[in-house]
Amino acid sequence: AIQLVESGGGSVQAGGPLRLSCVASGSSFHVYHMGWFRQVPGNGREGVASISVRGATTYADSVKGRFTISKDNAKNTLYLEMNSLKPEDTAIYYCAADPFPKGPTSWAVSENYRNWGQGTQVTVSS
């Protein structure tokens, strides 16, 4: 089974950038639909962005224009570049993978993903 490990989280001031990484092992993620989700205490996991096997991307309205999802198949690594960060972006960010394709709305449903990383904390101060 595929294993996922996130890194790159930390504390940053509002308006600043941060890049998260997710390294996959056990299986190549070439055939997986990949996603980034985030969660704050008391809430469910919110879909942030996803990228298909073919490289098509989707974003939540709250991050559109600020975040960019990408992947490097040679390194088996998924990235999330975050810019113009806001305090409301503070959360634990999770990498997710699933072998089945996702559509315009299904990509953002956490229950549709079978594999998850351990999460990395992002804290944005004002």
Side-chain angles (χ1 to χ4, degrees):
I2 194 168
Q3 294 177 259
L4 307 170
V5 180
E6 303 95 335
S7 63
S11 182
V12 64
Q13 291 187 329
L18 206 60
R19 186 172 80 159
L20 306 183
S21 298
C22 172
V23 178
S25 61
S27 296
S28 171
F29 72 2
H30 296 178
V31 299
Y32 287 84
H33 187 99
M34 307 293 295
W36 284 101
F37 286 74
R38 64 188 183 186
Q39 186 171 26
V40 298
N43 289 14
R45 292 186 183 183
E46 173 193 15
V48 175
S50 80
I51 185 166
S52 73
V53 171
R54 297 179 180 178
T57 59
T58 51
Y59 298 90
D61 288 342
S62 60
V63 307
K64 200 169 296 181
R66 299 190 297 123
F67 292 9
T68 302
I69 187 171
S70 62
K71 61 179 179 179
D72 186 332
N73 288 335
K75 296 181 179 179
N76 236 24
T77 302
L78 178 74
Y79 302 98
L80 183 68
E81 291 189 48
M82 304 182 291
N83 297 297
S84 301
L85 283 163
K86 305 173 181 180
E88 50 263 46
D89 293 319
T90 295
I92 299 175
Y93 283 71
Y94 296 89
C95 173
D98 196 85
F100 299 102
K102 310 302 173 191
T105 58
S106 62
W107 73 268
V109 180
S110 62
E111 289 82 358
N112 289 341
Y113 293 78
R114 291 163 172 74
N115 307 99
W116 294 87
Q118 84 291 341
T120 185
Q121 177 70 46
V122 172
T123 302
V124 185
S125 62
S126 59

